[in-house]
Amino acid sequence: MAEVKNFATVFSKEDQRKLGKQIIERFEMNARSRSRRIAKVREIYSHITLETKTKSMPWNGCANIRTPLLAAPWLQSSSRLLDMLLQQSGRIASVFSPSDFHAADAALAERYFNYYLQFEMHELEFSTDATVGQSVAVGSSFMRTYYDDVDERTRSDWIPLEDFVAPAKARSQDPSMRDLDEYSMVRRISLHRIARHKDSAAWINND
């Protein structure tokens, strides 16, 4: 059997439309089921970022004073966790040898692995920072490490809470989320990037 680079290509155009419609409907239903949670998350972020809004009470245009009671501890906690995960020494990951015979190979693998994390995965620092900050703020966070078929390299991207949708009552104990019946992840891809890679087998219906 020939290798299939994009699973969607095995379906007819009509089946693709039906599946696409079902996916969007399930996504919107699951998004509605957790709307109260997302509203609470936005409220927390408004306090952390000291968001100001125009006030009309007790009079129109009165002062809107916000104090950084949450911002300071949030910044301190998330920054310290980030320093623990991405150490300034450059040793982010460790590779241990099962025996003295493989010690040299393990040391070489560790050096290359840390080099790749720092200099080839350009978005790693931002993604880790955003993931840690979101986890400290609201208790939930997602980051996806995967091989990008289009860019042909390994990426590690932070996923905003609004872009990773599962039913409100769903619970997972598996980092890969395999124990969930369903979940959706929104991929925000620019039209420029789609046009630049329109001949890639990773995407279809690019026109």
Side-chain angles (χ1 to χ4, degrees), residues 2 5 14 27-28 38-39 57 60 95 97 145 153 168 184 190:
K5 293 186 178 181
E14 182 63 27
F27 169 82
E28 292 175 342
I38 295 300
M57 286 292 291
N60 188 42
V95 177
S97 171
T145 301
R153 69 179 183 89
S184 304
S190 67

Side-chain angles (χ1 to χ4, degrees), residues 1-204:
M1 181 177 179
E3 180 183 0
V4 178
K5 293 186 178 181
N6 190 326
F7 188 66
T9 58
V10 304
F11 297 100
S12 65
K13 294 288 186 181
E14 182 63 27
D15 288 338
Q16 289 177 20
R17 283 191 288 269
K18 290 180 180 178
L19 286 172
K21 182 180 179 181
Q22 291 175 8
I23 290 170
I24 292 173
E25 289 175 350
R26 297 292 296 184
F27 169 82
E28 292 175 342
M29 181 181 68
N30 291 334
R32 287 193 298 269
S33 74
R34 62 172 204 159
S35 57
R36 292 178 60 186
R37 165 70 170 161
I38 295 300
K40 188 65 176 179
V41 167
R42 290 172 179 164
E43 180 184 355
I44 292 173
Y45 271 117
S46 72
H47 290 301
I48 290 176
T49 58
L50 306 181
E51 179 184 354
T52 58
K53 298 179 181 179
T54 303
K55 295 181 66 176
S56 58
M57 286 292 291
W59 63 84
N60 188 42
C62 63
N64 191 342
I65 302 173
R66 307 297 294 271
T67 57
L69 294 178
L70 292 178
W74 172 69
L75 287 171
Q76 290 180 6
S77 300
S78 59
S79 62
R80 289 178 180 177
L81 285 171
L82 178 65
D83 288 340
M84 293 171 63
L85 293 172
L86 301 180
Q87 299 182 28
Q88 294 300 313
S89 64
R91 188 178 183 184
I92 302 172
S94 299
V95 177
F96 297 98
S97 171
S99 65
D100 293 339
F101 181 77
H102 296 94
D105 294 336
L108 183 62
E110 180 179 301
R111 290 180 62 184
Y112 177 75
F113 190 23
N114 284 297
Y115 160 81
Y116 193 92
L117 291 175
Q118 292 180 82
F119 300 107
E120 298 297 331
M121 295 177 66
H122 314 294
E123 64 288 328
L124 177 63
E125 183 173 1
F126 167 77
S127 296
T128 305
D129 188 15
T131 302
V132 169
Q134 184 173 279
S135 182
V136 172
V138 300
S140 298
S141 60
F142 303 98
M143 189 167 74
R144 180 184 181 218
T145 301
Y146 64 102
Y147 182 78
D148 191 322
D149 290 331
V150 177
D151 289 345
E152 296 183 344
R153 69 179 183 89
T154 303
R155 298 178 57 94
S156 190
D157 294 328
W158 166 62
I159 306 173
L161 205 60
E162 294 86 348
D163 290 351
F164 194 93
V165 179
K169 295 183 179 180
R171 297 294 182 270
S172 175
Q173 302 297 326
D174 185 349
S176 65
M177 313 293 286
R178 288 194 181 97
D179 52 353
L180 291 184
D181 291 334
E182 61 178 316
Y183 63 84
S184 304
M185 187 188 74
V186 178
R187 291 194 65 185
R188 303 188 181 276
I189 305 171
S190 67
L191 292 175
H192 171 71
R193 190 181 181 207
I194 292 176
R196 184 159 52 95
H197 298 285
K198 66 179 181 179
D199 295 328
S200 170
W203 297 336
I204 62 172

